[in-house]
């Protein structure tokens, strides 16, 4: 069976209901105490320390032969960054594979230092090893006056002497020590004293000049310490009695750190006359068989966590006071997983919580990998203490889930197989079952489609850039966005930025939808954050996007610099758009780049920059629109990746095109209105001058007409109101002579107007008269000649004239108490001609109909046709 066939079979089994996988060990129904999956790392690569230029080999072995091996690397310059797949087959890195063993050969260089992991691929299942650190061998001396001093000790014979000569040396790996007396190397009494020279029961032969030398076991580098010890041993009979005490340069207390499982030697300084005896005790640790006493030295073999505590060396020679020397012992323990995760067959969409417990000193940090991918990058995964919570198990989670425990001493890992039972999609039944009414398609409510979770890029030590997209949809339109973020930790609440990010136009700017960009500032470096986007819709409701993956904000000093693009040209594309053209340096690595950020603003503005995102490292030009016409803008670029962003390019200015002059005018849409020019716009006269002249002429005509009408009314009032005045004369006062109030008689044109009565309006007026007067009265109508000279002043009859005509007709009808009299003369439908002639040519009196109000006259439609 080929590897491809095996992979397909394994993937189908992982997402099926089967409870066992043929190539793997069976998983029991209940979690065992130490589950051991069939696919696992048998031998992980080990950490190495090597000198510069050396070649090292990292080995990795799996329980079964995988399809392929791959290696990932995290640079020591960016310890907080993620692992990247290693390019192999080069001079500095080469991978070979023999069955289930993979070897990585490395050339030790500054760019190859860091942490490495081995990955074995078994179809869709991925197994990852623990990390192995490659460190550079180094030895250095911490400057201190004490280390350069030459000590002179005078000691009575029989005492034990402790000289700490190598406390100022830092070495990786730990240095090996050589001691010299009078320039001749001597063999130390105890091995592994870490730069401490211990001489027990000294005699006159021990006198001399002592020195020490540190050697790096990896690089062979040696450091000769400048400090020396001039030791003079005197006979004890000649020394006067003296209580136990410390010599110059000896520590009063010590703090020693040891790794679990090693042997530890405790040395007790102090001399006296006569020589004191040393007694060891501990208030924290009980004596046991692993303790061995050598006078002023105590050796503890196979040290464990139970041996950590305070140790007291009590020295007494009969001369008071006695001397007590305290030594604090700390025991470190590599991480070890004591409760590995375990998973059973899990339904798709279900919630799953995986537990993982580990021991270690310092306390180990727990992290998880899902098929080789960090759980931080999974939107459905969340860490709860040391547990991994999958809020909704998906098909892609099927495979190998690993828990890693890590501290300064190393890593340990354990994993489990996760099988996912896919959802069963049931087809709707043709008949039978409960009938559910279909919703009304015509009243279907539009959905609020949320934006995508944001991608995060580091900008500075205190700010990040977010990128998100709204997919193409027919849902409710979005008005604005809000950005929310929270620091990952216990009970940290979401915070919302003050900026409103408008949705803007056009609706979509790509095939996938519309993309947006926003920055978040005032963050704390070396902290982990999550981000999400809040969309506010046209119905004033809102909806949140899914949260982003956890983002660790690293200080810029720990990141590799990104390539800086160079702006070459700002092309004038149109009146509202420009095209940016840029390039990268010839030695720039495009694989580090995810895309580019474009910043632009009018050069006359000092406000914030507008931002645009350009996806893809291969892009070298980009169109920015819409912009203002004939406006100068300033532009700058920066490249970005998922980890960081580059420095800004140099500012470059460009402008949009000026409006083009053309004889054929194109319709311009502005503010949603379309304006069509009329034929009056062909006048050569200025529009403002034409409007001024026309307005003045209309005002003069109105003033003249008003004066003439006022004169007419005053003359009629001057004649008085005679109660015995004939009815026709009384009605004449309410008539308006045509052509009498017109100020522009010389410009009058004779027009013949034919007016036809509206029968429906006449019937409505008659009903109104019957309700008000309780008598049947005919509705007055216009009585006019067949043709007459039209006077434009008739258009300006005032509402007061209409009301006076109404009152006059009411008095006329009420005085007779019947339908006879002058009112009957007015109600002859077939009669035509003037009511009264005044002897003046061109003056025709026209009687108005009786109306209940002006509004009724305007709405009743007493004239239904006018012919000119």
């Amino acid at each position: 069976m080929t590897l491809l066939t095996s992979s397909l079979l394994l993937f189908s089994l992982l997402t099926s209901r089967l409870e066992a996988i043929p190539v793997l060990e069976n998983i029991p129904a209940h979690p065992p105490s130490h589950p051991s999956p069939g696919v696992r790392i048998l031998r992980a690569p080990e950490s190495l320390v090597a000198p510069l230029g050396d070649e090292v080999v990292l080995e990795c072995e799996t329980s079964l032969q995988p399809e392929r091996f791959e290696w990932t690397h995290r640079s020591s310059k960016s310890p907080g960054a993620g692992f990247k797949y290693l390019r192999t087959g080069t001079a500095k890195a080469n991978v070979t594979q023999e069955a289930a063993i993979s070897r990585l050969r490395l050339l030790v260089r500054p760019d190859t230092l860091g942490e490495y992991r081995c990955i074995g691929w078994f179809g869709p299942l991925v197994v990852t090893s623990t990390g192995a650190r490659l460190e550079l061998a180094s030895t250095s001396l911490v400057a201190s006056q004490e280390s350069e001093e030459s000590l002179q000790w005078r000691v009575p014979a029989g005492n034990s002497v402790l000289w700490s000569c190598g406390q100022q040396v830092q070495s990786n790996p730990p240095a090996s020590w050589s001691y010299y007396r009078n320039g001749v190397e001597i063999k130390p009494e105890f091995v592994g004293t870490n730069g401490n020279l211990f001489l027990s029961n000294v005699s006159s032969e021990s006198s001399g000049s002592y020195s020490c030398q540190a050697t790096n076991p990896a690089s062979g580098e040696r450091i000769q310490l400048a400090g020396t010890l001039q030791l003079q041993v005197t006979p004890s009979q000649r020394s006067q009695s003296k209580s136990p005490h410390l010599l110059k340069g000896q520590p009063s207390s010590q703090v020693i750190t040891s790794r679990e499982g090693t042997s530890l030697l405790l040395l007790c300084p102090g001399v006296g006359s006569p020589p004191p005896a040393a007694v060891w005790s501990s208030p924290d640790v009980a004596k046991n068989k692993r303790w061995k006493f050598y006078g002023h030295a105590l050796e503890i073999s196979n040290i464990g966590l139970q041996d950590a505590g305070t140790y007291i060396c009590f020295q007494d020679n009969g001369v008071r006071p006695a001397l007590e020397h305290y030594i604090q012992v700390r025991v470190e323990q590599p991480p070890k997983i004591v409760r590995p995760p375990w998973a059973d067959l899990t339904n798709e969409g279900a919630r799953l919580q995986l537990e993982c417990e580990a021991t270690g000193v310092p306390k180990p940090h727990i992290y998880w990998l899902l098929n080789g991918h960090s759980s931080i990058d999974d939107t459905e995964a969340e860490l709860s203490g040391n547990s991994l919570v999958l809020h909704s198990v998906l098909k892609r989670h099927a495979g190998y889930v690993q828990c890693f425990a890590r501290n300064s001493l190393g890593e340990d890992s354990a994993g489990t197989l996760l099988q996912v039972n896919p959802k069963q999609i049931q087809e709707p039944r043709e008949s039978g079952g409960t009938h559910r009414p279909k919703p009304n398609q015509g009243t279907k409510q539009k959905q609020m489609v949320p934006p995508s979770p944001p991608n995060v890029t580091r900008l500075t030590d205190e700010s990040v850039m977010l990128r998100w997209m709204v997919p193409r949809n027919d849902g409710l339109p979005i008005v604005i966005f809000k950005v929310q973020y929270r620091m990952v930790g216990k009970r940290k609440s979401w915070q919302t930025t003050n900026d409103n990010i408008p949705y803007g136009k056009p609706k979509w700017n790509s095939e996938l939808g519309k993309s947006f960009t926003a920055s978040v500032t005032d963050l704390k470096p070396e902290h982990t954050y999550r981000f999400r986007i809040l969309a506010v819709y046209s119905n004033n409701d809102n909806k949140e996007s899914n949260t982003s993956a956890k983002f660790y904000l690293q200080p810029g000093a720990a990141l590799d610099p990104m390539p800086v693009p160079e702006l070459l040209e700002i092309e004038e594309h149109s009146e509202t758009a420009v095209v940016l053209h840029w390039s990268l340096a010839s030695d720039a690595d495009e694989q580090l780049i995810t895309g580019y950020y474009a910043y632009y603003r009018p050069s006359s503005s000092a406000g914030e920059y507008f931002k645009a995102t350009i996806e893809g490292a291969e892009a070298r030009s980009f169109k920015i629109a819409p912009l203002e016409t004939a406006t100068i803008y300033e532009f700058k670029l920066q490249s970005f990746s998922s980890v960081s962003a580059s420095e800004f390019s140099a500012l470059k200015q460009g402008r949009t095109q000026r409006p083009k002059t053309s004889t054929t005018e194109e319709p311009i849409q502005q503010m949603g209105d379309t304006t069509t020019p009329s034929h009056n716009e062909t006048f050569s006269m200025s529009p403002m001058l034409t409007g001024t002249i026309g307005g003045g002429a209309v005002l003069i005509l109105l003033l003249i007409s008003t004066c003439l009408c006022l004169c007419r009314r005053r003359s009629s009032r001057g004649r008085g109101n005679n109660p015995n005045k004939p009815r026709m004369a009384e009605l004449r006062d309410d008539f308006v002579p045509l052509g009498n109030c017109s100020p522009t008689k010389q410009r009058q044109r004779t027009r013949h107007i034919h007016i036809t009565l509206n029968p429906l309006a006449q019937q409505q007026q008659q009903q109104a008269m019957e309700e008000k007067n309780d008598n049947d009265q005919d509705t007055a109508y216009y009585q006019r000649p067949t043709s007459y000279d039209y006077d434009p002043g008739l258009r300006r009859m005032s509402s007061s004239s209409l009301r006076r005509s109404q009152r006059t007709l009411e008095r006329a009808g009420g005085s007779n108490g019947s339908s006879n009299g002058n009112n009957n003369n007015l109600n002859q439908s077939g009669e035509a001609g003037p009511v009264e002639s005044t002897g003046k040519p061109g003056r025709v009196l026209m009687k108005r109909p009786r109306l209940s109000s002006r509004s009724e006259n305007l709405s009743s439609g007493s004239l239904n046709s006018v012919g000119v």
Side-chain angles (χ1 to χ4, degrees):
M1 182 180 293
T2 63
L3 292 177
L4 179 59
T5 306
S6 302
S7 303
L8 295 176
L9 176 61
L10 183 58
F11 179 72
S12 61
L13 291 174
L14 284 173
T15 57
S16 67
R17 291 179 174 272
L18 298 180
E19 304 215 355
I21 299 177
V23 297
L24 305 175
E25 296 180 6
N26 294 337
I27 299 179
H30 298 284
S33 57
H34 297 286
S36 177
V39 175
R40 61 185 184 275
I41 301 292
L42 288 182
R43 183 159 51 96
E46 298 180 356
S47 297
L48 296 174
V49 180
L52 196 65
D54 200 0
E55 184 182 68
V56 297
V57 178
L58 300 178
E59 289 191 358
C60 175
E61 183 178 1
T62 56
S63 57
L64 296 175
Q65 180 179 353
E67 292 181 6
R68 69 182 188 276
F69 278 103
E70 287 187 336
W71 292 78
T72 58
H73 173 233
R74 179 167 58 188
S75 174
S76 58
K77 298 179 181 178
S78 305
F83 282 83
K84 298 180 180 179
Y85 282 95
L86 188 65
R87 297 180 185 176
T88 59
T90 62
K92 64 178 181 179
N94 188 25
V95 175
T96 59
Q97 179 178 349
E98 295 179 5
I101 299 177
S102 177
R103 295 181 177 88
L104 172 64
R105 297 182 181 274
L106 292 170
L107 186 63
V108 180
R109 302 181 355 180
D111 56 341
T112 60
L113 300 177
E115 190 173 357
Y116 292 86
R117 292 197 302 208
C118 164
I119 299 176
W121 291 82
F122 300 85
L125 187 147
V126 178
V127 182
T128 306
S129 72
T130 54
R133 289 189 290 266
L134 176 60
E135 298 176 343
L136 186 65
S138 61
T139 306
S140 61
L141 181 64
V142 179
S144 174
Q145 293 182 355
E146 295 181 359
S147 62
E148 298 179 359
E149 288 183 358
S150 294
L151 300 177
Q152 296 182 359
W153 289 350
R154 187 182 179 91
V155 180
N159 279 282
S160 296
V161 177
L162 174 63
W163 177 42
S164 301
C165 69
Q167 298 301 313
Q168 305 302 323
V169 174
Q170 293 181 349
S171 178
N172 185 26
S176 60
W177 292 90
S178 302
Y179 304 98
Y180 301 88
R181 183 179 64 194
N182 298 327
V184 179
E185 185 175 1
I186 60 175
K187 185 177 181 180
E189 186 174 348
F190 297 102
V191 180
T193 56
N194 194 24
N196 293 310
L197 175 61
F198 185 77
L199 303 173
S200 62
N201 194 18
V202 294
S203 62
S204 58
E205 297 179 356
S206 303
S207 300
S209 176
Y210 290 84
S211 62
C212 60
Q213 179 179 272
T215 303
N216 189 301
S219 63
E221 181 183 1
R222 297 184 177 184
I223 295 181
Q224 182 71 40
L225 276 75
T228 58
L229 169 64
Q230 303 295 331
L231 179 63
Q232 182 181 0
V233 179
T234 61
S236 57
Q237 296 83 0
R238 300 180 183 178
S239 302
Q240 19 180 323
S241 298
K242 197 170 184 180
S243 63
H245 60 279
L246 297 174
L247 298 172
K248 181 182 179 181
Q250 288 184 331
S252 59
S253 62
Q254 301 178 59
V255 177
I256 299 176
T257 302
S258 180
R259 185 179 179 128
E260 182 186 36
T262 61
S263 296
L264 177 63
L265 182 68
L266 303 181
L267 301 174
C268 179
V271 296
S273 181
V279 178
W280 292 88
S281 64
S282 174
D284 304 323
V285 184
K287 292 183 180 181
N288 53 67
K289 296 180 179 180
R290 294 179 289 107
W291 287 18
K292 292 183 180 180
F293 300 96
Y294 301 97
H296 286 250
L298 169 63
E299 183 181 12
I300 306 174
S301 61
N302 193 21
I303 191 171
L305 295 178
Q306 68 275 13
D307 297 316
T310 302
Y311 292 81
I312 303 174
C313 172
F314 184 83
Q315 299 183 40
D316 187 11
N317 64 353
V319 182
R320 294 293 180 264
L323 177 64
E324 291 183 350
H325 184 76
Y326 293 87
I327 302 176
Q328 185 71 31
V329 175
R330 297 175 180 173
V331 180
E332 291 184 340
Q333 181 187 50
K336 183 179 181 180
I337 294 178
V338 294
R339 184 183 177 186
W342 179 86
D344 200 352
L345 181 66
T346 306
N347 292 326
E348 182 184 0
R351 184 180 184 274
L352 177 64
Q353 182 169 346
L354 299 176
E355 305 290 341
C356 182
E357 292 183 6
T359 59
V361 179
K363 183 179 179 180
H365 166 66
I366 301 293
Y367 68 94
W368 296 77
L369 294 183
L370 304 172
N371 281 324
H373 297 282
S374 175
S375 63
I376 296 177
D377 301 327
D378 196 305
T379 56
E380 298 296 334
E382 183 177 358
L383 287 180
S384 177
N386 292 336
S387 303
L388 174 66
V389 178
L390 296 177
H391 295 290
S392 178
V393 176
L394 304 178
K395 292 179 182 178
R396 58 180 169 82
H397 293 142
Y400 201 51
V401 182
Q402 289 179 273
C403 165
F404 288 80
R406 178 190 185 97
N407 66 9
S408 58
L409 274 67
E411 273 189 333
D412 189 24
S413 69
T416 182
L417 291 171
L418 175 59
Q419 301 177 67
V420 179
N421 181 27
K423 287 183 179 180
Q424 302 298 323
I425 303 176
Q426 297 181 355
E427 297 293 336
R429 296 181 179 178
E430 295 294 335
S431 61
T434 305
H435 175 70
R436 296 182 180 179
K438 294 182 180 180
N440 188 359
Q441 299 296 331
T443 60
K444 185 178 180 181
Q445 187 176 4
K446 289 187 176 182
Q447 299 294 323
M448 294 186 297
V449 179
S452 65
N455 294 323
V456 190
T457 302
R458 177 194 174 278
L459 286 181
T460 65
D461 288 353
E462 298 178 351
S463 64
V464 297
M465 182 73 79
L466 305 183
R467 295 174 288 124
W468 69 94
M469 176 172 287
V470 176
R472 282 181 173 268
N473 64 86
D474 296 326
L476 282 173
I478 298 175
V479 181
I480 61 171
F481 298 98
K482 283 284 192 179
V483 175
Q484 294 183 321
Y485 64 95
R486 71 177 178 89
M487 188 183 298
V488 176
K490 296 182 179 179
R491 299 180 180 178
K492 297 292 185 180
S493 59
W494 287 95
Q495 300 185 40
T496 305
T497 59
N498 296 326
D499 297 334
N500 294 333
I501 297 97
Y503 186 90
K505 294 181 180 180
K507 189 173 183 180
W508 313 116
N509 55 11
S510 71
E511 293 296 329
L512 299 178
K514 185 173 182 180
S515 58
F516 298 88
T517 305
S519 57
V520 181
T521 58
D522 299 331
L523 301 178
K524 295 181 179 180
E526 298 183 353
H527 286 75
T528 304
Y529 290 88
R530 282 189 184 270
F531 301 86
R532 68 185 182 190
I533 305 300
L534 183 70
V536 180
Y537 298 83
S538 58
N539 62 347
N540 291 329
D541 201 353
N542 60 79
K543 198 167 187 179
E544 301 161 354
S545 71
N546 290 331
T547 58
S548 68
K550 292 181 181 179
F551 183 81
Y552 179 74
L553 185 56
Q554 293 189 72
L559 298 174
D560 294 332
M562 292 285 295
V564 181
E566 179 185 1
L567 272 173
L568 301 177
E569 180 188 1
I570 311 297
E571 177 188 350
E572 298 181 6
H573 185 267
S574 66
E575 297 178 8
T576 59
V578 298
V579 177
L580 309 184
H581 298 274
W582 67 89
S583 66
L584 291 175
S586 58
D587 57 346
D589 189 358
E590 275 193 12
Q591 296 190 0
L592 299 176
I593 300 175
T594 304
Y596 304 88
Y597 291 133
Y599 299 79
Y600 59 98
R601 69 179 179 186
S603 58
S604 59
S605 170
E608 294 186 358
Y609 283 90
F610 299 99
K611 306 176 187 70
T613 303
I614 307 151
E615 299 289 347
E618 66 280 357
R620 292 297 181 271
S621 63
F622 184 71
K623 177 182 175 182
I624 296 182
L627 302 175
E628 297 180 4
T629 305
T631 304
I632 299 177
Y633 285 81
E634 59 183 26
F635 302 88
K636 60 182 179 180
L637 281 178
Q638 64 177 164
S639 63
F640 70 88
S641 66
S642 59
V643 179
S644 64
S646 71
E647 298 293 333
F648 288 109
S649 66
L651 282 175
K652 197 173 186 65
Q653 290 188 346
R655 70 180 304 156
T656 53
Q657 292 181 358
R658 294 181 174 85
K660 297 179 181 179
T661 57
S662 176
T663 56
T664 304
E665 295 184 0
E666 297 181 358
I668 300 175
Q669 186 173 356
Q670 183 176 4
M671 299 299 292
D673 297 334
T674 303
T675 304
T676 303
S678 64
H679 65 280
N680 293 332
E681 294 177 358
T682 59
F683 288 171
S684 59
M685 187 179 294
S686 171
M688 184 175 294
L689 181 59
T690 304
T692 305
I693 296 174
V698 172
L699 182 61
I700 294 172
L701 291 175
L702 290 175
L703 290 176
I704 296 174
S705 176
T706 304
C707 293
L708 291 176
C709 290
L710 289 176
C711 293
R712 174 74 179 177
R713 292 172 188 170
R714 288 178 182 175
S715 62
S716 66
R717 291 195 191 101
R719 290 193 295 267
N721 295 328
N722 188 355
N724 298 323
K725 185 177 181 180
R727 191 173 307 279
M728 190 60 66
E730 182 179 353
L731 292 175
R732 188 187 301 114
D733 291 342
D734 289 330
F735 291 164
V736 179
L738 296 178
N740 192 38
C741 293
S742 175
T744 57
K745 293 183 180 180
Q746 66 278 11
R747 297 177 59 185
Q748 294 179 8
R749 291 176 293 175
T750 302
R751 297 187 182 185
H752 300 282
I753 304 177
H754 304 282
I755 304 176
T756 305
L757 293 179
N758 186 350
L760 181 59
Q762 184 176 4
Q763 182 179 359
Q764 291 176 352
Q765 294 174 1
Q766 183 175 359
Q767 291 177 359
M769 287 287 293
E770 289 174 354
E771 292 176 2
K772 190 169 184 180
N773 298 330
D774 298 327
N775 294 317
D776 294 336
Q777 296 179 353
D778 295 332
T779 304
Y781 60 94
Y782 279 105
Q783 193 171 19
R784 71 281 184 213
T786 303
S787 63
Y788 56 88
D789 293 337
Y790 173 74
D791 186 359
L794 182 60
R795 291 186 177 181
R796 295 186 293 273
M797 290 189 297
S798 64
S799 60
S800 61
S801 298
L802 292 175
R803 287 194 294 271
R804 287 200 309 275
S805 176
Q806 177 183 346
R807 291 194 301 270
T808 304
L809 291 175
E810 289 175 355
R811 289 196 301 271
S815 61
N816 291 332
S818 66
S819 60
N820 300 325
N822 292 336
N823 199 26
N824 287 336
N825 296 332
L826 298 173
N827 290 335
Q828 299 175 3
S829 61
E831 185 178 358
V835 176
E836 179 182 357
S837 176
T838 59
K840 296 181 180 180
R843 296 187 60 192
V844 179
L845 297 182
M846 177 177 162
K847 186 177 181 300
R848 303 183 185 87
R850 178 185 176 277
L851 301 176
S852 60
S853 67
R854 186 185 180 210
S855 61
E856 183 179 344
N857 181 36
L858 296 176
S859 62
S860 63
S862 59
L863 304 179
N864 67 359
S865 67
V866 177
V868 180

